[in-house]
Amino acid sequence: MNQTSTWKPLVKRLDSGERERLKIAKELLRKKQHEEALVEFNAILENNPQSINALLGIGLVYLRQEHLDEALARFKQAKLLDPLQPKPYLLEGFVLLRQGNMAEAEQVFKAVLSLDSRSHRALLGLGEVFLTAKRYDDALIHLREALRYNPQLVAPRLLSAKIYSEQGKFDEAVGEIRTVLEIDPGQARAYFQLARLHASRNELGKAAEVLALAMEKLPNNNTSLYLKIGLLANDIKL
């Protein structure tokens, strides 16, 4: 990570053809057309082996396909090309989290923060690492730091609610989730988490009210969400 003042990243300026192809590849990835996106990213990489964007794109395709080792290899390649860019470290950390490699994930997320001290995604990643280790105070410190930079973020609040729940701090957990729903009334995970919290205390009436509110607030054309609501209602015996 310590670089001399003369170090430069091993990348070159994008030409117009590569920019256009990257735009196409990213759009395919956004549409979840993973195989087509992979073809485009690989074509870019063949023409420009130092394309960090192509390596990250390939890694993201593999990550979404659950090919975690392949994804990790691409993110590490990108990191070597430009050790001062936070994004490859961040994506590497997410893969390590998915693999359960918490010790390495912690080091990678800390490396991100050494490059970008305000990276809420790295702070969230460390929150997950410390939650897994049941280091609740450390987890909450990092999640609060993320919220200090942006109080409107919902992911740190949902993770904080999970921590409070594990600590038996029901009121604090509910408070975080209700704040999430004030920020974003369409946040499905918040309704599900809140319903489970009430069910865990055998407050089935309140859990049912939460799911009824979810059905009112969430898009009525999203069948997968309604299926999840039904499955959750069945799971908590409503």
Side-chain angles (χ1 to χ4, degrees):
M1 292 278 304
N2 293 326
Q3 303 296 324
T4 68
S5 59
T6 58
W7 180 87
K8 293 181 180 179
L10 302 173
V11 294
K12 67 180 184 181
R13 188 182 299 274
L14 301 183
D15 59 38
S16 58
E18 184 172 333
R19 279 197 300 271
E20 186 59 29
R21 199 147 202 178
L22 270 173
K23 184 178 177 182
I24 292 169
K26 288 177 180 179
E27 181 63 15
L28 289 167
L29 183 59
R30 187 186 70 80
K31 292 180 177 178
K32 300 182 181 180
Q33 296 176 238
H34 295 144
E35 293 303 326
E36 294 88 341
L38 196 58
V39 169
E40 292 296 328
F41 283 126
N42 275 316
I44 295 165
L45 195 62
E46 185 175 346
N47 182 59
N48 176 13
Q50 296 175 347
S51 172
I52 291 176
N53 285 317
L55 285 166
L56 295 180
I58 292 167
L60 282 169
V61 171
Y62 286 141
L63 179 57
R64 293 181 185 183
Q65 293 177 327
E66 295 293 326
H67 301 320
L68 299 184
D69 289 339
E70 291 89 339
L72 190 62
R74 297 312 185 280
F75 298 147
K76 286 185 174 182
Q77 280 180 266
K79 185 174 69 174
L80 289 174
L81 287 173
D82 186 355
L84 300 183
Q85 185 179 145
K87 191 171 183 180
Y89 292 88
L90 196 60
L91 292 171
E92 180 186 0
F94 292 149
V95 175
L96 291 167
L97 270 181
R98 295 273 285 276
Q99 292 179 323
N101 191 339
M102 297 301 164
E104 283 192 41
E106 179 180 348
Q107 294 308 309
V108 170
F109 288 130
K110 286 180 176 177
V112 175
L113 292 176
S114 73
L115 298 169
D116 177 8
S117 62
R118 292 189 168 210
S119 173
H120 70 269
R121 298 180 76 189
L123 290 165
L124 182 63
L126 284 171
E128 293 197 35
V129 167
F130 294 137
L131 169 58
T132 301
K134 299 192 182 303
R135 292 167 57 184
Y136 297 127
D137 290 343
D138 288 332
L140 288 169
I141 286 170
H142 287 84
L143 296 174
R144 287 170 187 149
E145 185 76 359
L147 291 170
R148 185 169 72 86
Y149 293 130
N150 185 353
Q152 297 300 108
L153 293 171
V154 299
R157 293 190 184 280
L158 290 175
L159 193 58
S160 295
K162 185 175 181 181
I163 292 169
Y164 288 134
S165 177
E166 290 196 12
Q167 291 180 309
K169 298 178 179 179
F170 177 79
D171 291 340
E172 289 88 339
V174 169
E176 289 289 0
I177 297 173
R178 293 205 179 279
T179 301
V180 168
L181 292 174
E182 289 173 6
I183 295 168
D184 180 9
Q187 184 63 234
R189 283 175 56 203
Y191 292 107
F192 299 158
Q193 200 167 336
L194 185 55
R196 286 192 179 279
L197 267 176
H198 283 301
S200 71
R201 290 164 60 93
N202 205 32
E203 297 173 348
L204 299 185
K206 289 184 178 181
E209 289 174 9
V210 170
L211 294 183
L213 184 61
M215 293 179 71
E216 176 186 329
K217 297 291 186 181
L218 297 175
N220 56 19
N221 60 348
N222 191 327
T223 54
S224 67
L225 275 179
Y226 278 80
L227 178 60
K228 288 177 182 178
I229 290 172
L231 290 172
L232 178 55
N234 182 67
D235 187 41
I236 60 181
K237 306 291 191 295
L238 293 183

